[in-house]
Amino acid sequence: MSTPAPDVLLADCPARSALELIADTWSVVVLVGLAHGSQRYSTLLERAGGISKKMLTQTLRRLGDAGLVARPATRGGDYRLTELGVSLLGPITALTAWAEEHAHELA
């Protein structure tokens, strides 16, 4: 007997909370920013144009709580993707490539 596929149309679908976490712009930007290796907070803030300190902090905290980003144990340390975070890079890369290719059509 096979397990039914998740139905994100249902309010109690577990995949929905995962989508809510990774579907916001800043989550994607931070994950892409960490795709090529660990980064200090200040470097992420500088590279992610337009993000406020408060939003970066909140985003890193949410991604850390979800197990996608490893936060430094001490102040001034580097943030890095966890194994779970790395596994998300394929879908995010495909999504960002699609967005770049079709941005002019969506405007």
Side-chain angles (χ1 to χ4, degrees):
M1 186 171 177
S2 65
T3 305
D7 186 351
V8 296
L9 296 175
L10 299 175
D12 62 348
C13 177
R16 239 183 171 172
S17 59
L19 287 171
E20 287 175 16
L21 172 70
I22 60 172
D24 88 74
T25 301
W26 294 123
S27 291
V28 172
V29 168
V30 169
L31 292 167
V32 169
L34 294 172
H36 298 293
S38 61
Q39 302 283 324
R40 292 197 182 283
Y41 179 91
S42 59
T43 303
L44 283 170
L45 184 63
E46 184 179 303
R47 291 186 65 213
I51 194 169
S52 68
K53 288 180 181 182
K54 178 182 177 183
M55 184 55 67
L56 179 57
T57 299
Q58 289 175 348
T59 301
L60 286 166
R61 188 171 292 136
R62 271 195 342 270
L63 294 173
D65 290 347
L68 296 169
V69 170
R71 297 187 303 221
T74 60
R75 187 179 178 105
D78 289 355
Y79 290 85
R80 64 174 177 77
L81 293 178
T82 62
E83 190 175 321
L84 183 61
V86 170
S87 74
L88 186 54
L89 290 179
I92 285 180
T93 300
L95 179 62
T96 55
W98 183 91
E100 288 174 3
E101 182 179 336
H102 297 283
H104 66 282
E105 296 172 54
L106 299 172

